[in-house]
Amino acid sequence: MSGWKDRIAGWFIDREFFMRANGQVRFLKISAQLQRRTAVTLASVIGIWLLVTVGMAINQMTVTAQRLALTEQEAKVESAEERVASYRGSIDEVTKDLERRQEMLESLGDQYLGDLSETEAQAPAASADSRAEEKAVKTISAMVPEAAGLVRIEARQIRFAEKMTKMAQARTVKAEAAIRQFGLNPEILARRARNAQGGLFEPFFGKGKKDVRDPRFLNLAAALGRMDAMERALAAIPTAMPAASMMMSSGFGYRSDPFTGGGAMHAGLDFKGPVGTPILAAAKGKVVLAGFNGGYGNTIEIRHANGLVTRYAHLSGLNVRRGQMVDRGVQIGRMGSTGRSTGSHLHFEVRLNGQAINPRKFLEANPDVLKVQTVAGNRADSAAKE
């Protein structure tokens, strides 16, 4: 112990410094006692700061835990006793609520899951929640015999909601995997989709009625919302060939400039073909530019979902106007050599949030990914028509 004290005491000894200025020498002395006091003060300040920081972190964790606990409590599944009280309170009100919920479930099924295969449509295996629900049905039927038919309808609705949730989650996983194949981040696309929502608040069960917070229906709404965002984002990725010509004359990235011969960045792909060759929209979107654009010549830009934009340049003619909505694969213009061009070709760009990215990975997507994208696009088109 004394060895440590001696070592620490050796850190603090009287120190003298001298400074020479204008031919004069001055001495500055810092005593060991002053050094110890300064060190103790600094250590105290650091210690207090650490204690405050740790305390704030613990408090934040406590608040977060309390919020989670409150959320779980609010979203808990109603017990059989609580549901018995609801049925005894007003059979007519429960009947109306169940009828409205049934209409909602049927509408969601037609809108989101109307193109299921037989394998997807098979009912999921019984879960612990399903067995608990069957027990609740028996309990409520025994205690409120006149509500037996209604409680069985509610049980079927809950099972259907759970089934739809699992299907939506499975389709979301497929869409996310397909988006990653294109080198895009599905989480960023999902956030962009959630940031573009709004509307007045209208309670689902009408004014003055109890807010139904069964987590199984809340989970269904969340799962369908994410699935819809992912499939719409996937459908908007430009994967259709932009020209009726497969001859690529220049790739993306560094190249020798065709005019100066110097090193230059080429922000897209060039497709060579005769003047007048049809130019096609690579994905569904809105025309945001249709006209002359400097070195690009006659240009068309189409804005797709989630920050994606495609650009078609050096055209000899335009078939669309600004503000027009176009579908994937429709003719939007004709190949040419306007602007800074050495011959008839299409300059095709894909930009994400203004940044040029290589279009080749979109145009060369594997068939499995394109199949998932096609299914997503068909569903998105059907939902838009409804």
Side-chain angles (χ1 to χ4, degrees), residues 268-313:
L269 301 177
D270 288 346
F271 294 90
K272 181 181 180 181
V275 173
T277 299
I279 303 303
L280 315 174
K284 182 178 181 178
K286 181 179 182 180
V287 178
V288 294
L289 173 64
F292 191 79
N293 187 25
Y296 285 106
N298 293 328
T299 305
I300 294 173
E301 288 186 6
I302 301 177
R303 184 173 63 221
H304 312 283
N306 304 305
L308 282 167
V309 172
T310 50
R311 177 179 292 166
Y312 313 77

Side-chain angles (χ1 to χ4, degrees), residues 238-243 279-285 302 304 310 312 326-333 348:
T239 55
M241 286 298 297
I279 303 303
L280 315 174
K284 182 178 181 178
I302 301 177
H304 312 283
T310 50
Y312 313 77
V326 295
D327 290 325
R328 179 192 305 269
V330 302
Q331 182 173 350
I332 57 175
F348 175 65

Side-chain angles (χ1 to χ4, degrees), residues 2 13 338:
S2 60
I13 60 175
T338 57

Side-chain angles (χ1 to χ4, degrees), residues 70-117:
L70 180 61
T71 301
E72 291 177 359
Q73 183 178 359
E74 290 178 345
K76 70 177 182 179
V77 178
E78 288 183 314
S79 65
E81 290 76 10
E82 291 171 327
R83 290 164 68 181
V84 166
S86 298
Y87 279 105
R88 279 179 172 167
S90 176
I91 293 294
D92 291 339
E93 287 297 319
V94 172
T95 301
K96 292 178 181 179
D97 288 347
L98 290 178
E99 288 176 350
R100 185 167 184 181
R101 181 190 283 173
Q102 183 64 32
E103 292 176 358
M104 177 268 291
L105 290 173
E106 291 175 356
S107 175
L108 290 176
D110 293 339
Q111 179 180 356
Y112 291 104
L113 305 173
D115 55 351
L116 297 176
S117 64

Side-chain angles (χ1 to χ4, degrees), residues 139-273:
T139 301
I140 297 172
S141 299
M143 299 185 70
V144 190
E146 62 271 25
L150 292 179
V151 73
R152 283 194 290 271
I153 292 175
E154 183 181 16
R156 286 199 296 271
Q157 290 179 346
I158 291 174
R159 286 196 296 270
F160 184 61
E162 291 176 334
K163 176 181 176 181
M164 287 181 66
T165 299
K166 292 180 180 179
M167 292 177 181
Q169 291 170 342
R171 284 174 54 162
T172 299
V173 169
K174 289 183 179 179
E176 289 175 343
I179 290 173
R180 291 191 182 94
Q181 289 286 325
F182 295 110
L184 301 175
N185 187 335
E187 294 301 326
I188 294 178
L189 300 186
R191 283 197 296 271
R192 291 183 63 88
R194 286 194 293 268
N195 288 337
Q197 298 179 355
L200 297 178
F201 172 73
E202 181 180 353
F204 180 76
F205 286 102
K207 296 180 180 179
K209 293 187 178 182
K210 180 182 177 182
D211 183 16
V212 177
R213 304 185 71 86
D214 190 309
R216 289 165 292 202
F217 292 96
L218 297 177
N219 291 340
L220 171 60
L224 289 175
R226 184 173 178 84
M227 182 197 77
D228 183 59
M230 289 297 98
E231 291 193 342
R232 287 182 183 275
L234 177 61
I237 293 176
T239 55
M241 286 298 297
S245 170
M246 299 294 289
M247 186 179 297
M248 189 181 301
S249 57
S250 185
F252 178 89
Y254 180 84
R255 72 171 183 177
S256 175
D257 184 78
F259 286 91
T260 67
M265 171 65 188
H266 189 226
L269 301 177
D270 288 346
F271 294 90
K272 181 181 180 181

Side-chain angles (χ1 to χ4, degrees), residues 128-148:
D129 288 342
S130 299
R131 290 190 290 271
E133 184 62 30
E134 289 296 331
K135 183 177 180 181
V137 169
K138 293 179 181 178
T139 301
I140 297 172
S141 299
M143 299 185 70
V144 190
E146 62 271 25

